[in-house]
Amino acid sequence: MAPQNGGTSSPGSGATPQTSISTPTSTSISLVTSSANPASMSASPATTCTDTGTSSSSGNLSNGAVAGVVIGCALALSLLTFCSTYLWMRRRNNRREDSRDGRHGSLRTSSRRSSRKDAETKQPIVTEEMSSIGARSPIQEYIPRAADDKTVHNKVFGLLDNIAVHVENFYRNISPTVPAESVAQLGQLNSSHLPESIVAMLQRSSHPDTLITHCLTELIIAAIMPSREPTQSLLPMQFTALPSTGSSRRSRERDSDRALFLWRMLSVYLHPNIALDSAYTSHRKDLIARNVQSFTLAFSPWRNPNHSREECVQSLTIIMESAAETGIWLFSQPCKFEFYWRSPADGNAKKIEKSPELIKVGDESGIMLEEAQIIVGSVVGKV
């Protein structure tokens, strides 16, 4: 029978050692080891290790210790990851720098070869952009900003409309006998844009207001064009002298157009207050007075008696002053504009142009357009 409470082996039990483990009702565990020598067994006391429910053995850790170990491992892992990433990125950057150095070296070699080649040929490279007027010309900074097409339209359309309103207010659609004294005056107002003389057309016209509007518009428009003879122009002489001398040899060649563009822009820049010049204002005032007088006398048989002659003269004077200012403004624009009359119809035509088109023929860089743009359309009326 097994011994209880850590009992010992009997002397006659044999040479094989025995280990006895007893499980008491309590939580204590007793461990007894016996040797083969009975004497030593009796002399050596039993060794007992006890583990209770409230204390742990030396092989276990508390919760706080476990948490500390976990945090430490996490920090160590993070540090290791950071170091690895840093070393990897540094190595990659070094490779990129080496690669760039290699490419730059080849580029520098090519550049030196190209420089030697250019030095040998000594021929400058001219690009398409350098051939433009803005790239070649040092006066680019003197060119004013171009007005948009809508602004140009409104300004010119307003002038043409005022001319039509003036005729509507101060003249009538009647067919009087043209007096001899008016024939000579009308002859001075003949228009090259009519199929025949103004006198012949007035004598059979049922709408003389159309012819009157045409003649007044042609008189004013011609006076604000740079190609007009300086003595008959409402523009300053500084703006008309060159175009008038070269009008007989006018060319659409690119260089000529650019030269005139540069001249026009420099003229505007060098004469910013030309409208206030006393010589010009005196000339303009005298020319307007002569034109108003001539036109009013020529068409006096058709004048509306509801308005006095003084009122008619004053209205037309204001319109011509406005036309002179519009002409200077158009001249100062970088874009080039022209008034365009259609070819006159035959003598039996029932309609004619009362006012011409305003077209844009050059851009703000002095380059002529491939196709002209209509800014203000023409107005046609019955004869």
Side-chain angles (χ1 to χ4, degrees):
M1 180 177 295
Q4 296 180 355
N5 297 330
T8 61
S9 304
S10 85
S13 60
T16 303
Q18 294 182 353
T19 301
S20 174
I21 300 175
S22 62
T23 304
T25 57
S26 64
T27 58
S28 63
I29 301 175
S30 299
L31 178 61
V32 179
T33 304
S34 59
S35 63
N37 190 352
S40 63
M41 289 180 58
S42 59
S44 299
T47 301
T48 303
C49 181
T50 304
D51 183 12
T52 62
T54 59
S55 61
S56 60
S57 65
S58 60
N60 296 330
L61 297 175
S62 63
N63 292 336
V66 172
V69 172
V70 171
I71 294 174
C73 292
L75 291 175
L77 181 61
S78 300
L79 181 61
L80 180 61
T81 303
F82 172 80
C83 293
S84 301
T85 303
Y86 171 78
L87 294 175
W88 177 79
M89 293 182 66
R90 183 175 181 181
R91 184 178 181 183
R92 185 183 63 175
N93 292 337
N94 290 336
R95 289 180 178 177
R96 289 184 176 179
E97 291 177 0
D98 294 339
S99 178
R100 279 200 299 270
D101 291 341
R103 290 196 300 269
H104 290 171
S106 62
L107 288 175
R108 285 193 293 268
T109 302
S110 300
S111 177
R112 287 194 296 269
R113 292 176 181 174
S114 177
S115 299
R116 287 196 300 269
K117 184 177 180 180
D118 292 341
E120 293 173 357
T121 58
K122 295 183 179 180
Q123 294 181 355
I125 300 175
V126 180
T127 63
E128 183 177 355
E129 291 79 4
M130 292 173 61
S131 64
S132 65
I133 190 68
R136 295 194 310 171
S137 175
I139 71 162
Q140 188 69 28
E141 59 183 296
Y142 305 127
I143 299 176
R145 183 177 180 180
D148 58 87
D149 292 348
K150 184 177 181 181
T151 301
V152 178
H153 171 274
N154 292 341
K155 204 171 188 68
V156 175
F157 179 83
L159 173 63
L160 299 176
D161 187 60
N162 287 338
I163 295 173
V165 171
H166 173 81
V167 174
E168 181 181 348
N169 290 337
F170 292 98
Y171 296 91
R172 298 177 298 166
N173 273 329
I174 59 175
S175 300
T177 301
V178 180
E181 58 270 18
S182 296
V183 172
Q185 295 287 344
L186 289 171
Q188 297 178 3
L189 298 173
N190 272 325
S191 170
S192 60
H193 309 294
L194 292 176
E196 54 183 324
S197 69
I198 183 64
V199 174
M201 296 189 70
L202 281 171
Q203 288 176 343
R204 66 171 183 268
S205 174
S206 59
H207 295 85
D209 61 330
T210 298
L211 292 168
I212 296 173
T213 302
H214 173 96
C215 290
L216 181 56
T217 302
E218 201 275 340
L219 173 66
I220 293 176
I221 294 303
I224 63 174
M225 296 300 295
S227 58
R228 184 75 168 182
E229 188 68 25
T231 58
Q232 300 297 320
S233 175
L234 291 175
L235 298 180
M237 184 174 294
Q238 293 85 343
F239 293 175
T240 60
L242 185 59
S244 64
T245 58
S247 58
S248 60
R249 296 184 294 116
R250 188 174 180 181
S251 173
R252 287 290 182 182
E253 294 181 1
R254 188 175 184 181
D255 291 341
S256 299
D257 293 329
R258 284 182 174 177
L260 287 174
F261 166 77
L262 296 176
W263 166 82
R264 185 161 53 90
M265 293 296 95
L266 284 176
S267 298
V268 173
Y269 179 79
L270 295 174
H271 302 90
N273 300 316
I274 190 64
L276 303 178
D277 182 74
S278 59
Y280 164 66
T281 55
S282 177
H283 162 75
R284 187 172 81 175
K285 183 178 180 180
D286 293 342
L287 180 61
I288 289 176
R290 292 197 303 269
N291 288 341
V292 170
Q293 180 74 9
S294 174
F295 188 87
T296 303
L297 288 176
F299 290 97
S300 59
W302 293 270
R303 188 166 57 83
N304 188 348
N306 294 329
H307 298 282
S308 66
R309 184 180 182 278
E310 289 73 17
E311 291 176 331
C312 181
V313 168
Q314 182 180 11
S315 173
L316 187 53
T317 300
I318 293 174
I319 291 175
M320 288 196 175
E321 290 283 357
S322 175
E325 295 174 1
T326 302
I328 294 175
W329 184 81
L330 283 175
F331 183 88
S332 66
Q333 291 300 306
C335 299
K336 185 177 181 181
F337 300 93
E338 292 180 354
F339 289 96
Y340 177 71
W341 295 89
R342 300 285 180 179
S343 299
D346 55 38
N348 296 323
K350 296 182 179 180
K351 293 182 179 181
I352 63 169
E353 283 185 314
K354 298 170 69 175
S355 61
E357 295 177 342
L358 177 71
I359 59 176
K360 181 196 287 187
V361 297
D363 64 13
E364 61 274 8
S365 298
I367 306 300
M368 301 302 292
L369 302 178
E370 294 293 335
E371 183 177 355
Q373 300 177 6
I374 299 177
I375 305 300
V376 180
S378 62
V379 177
V380 178
K382 294 181 179 181
V383 179

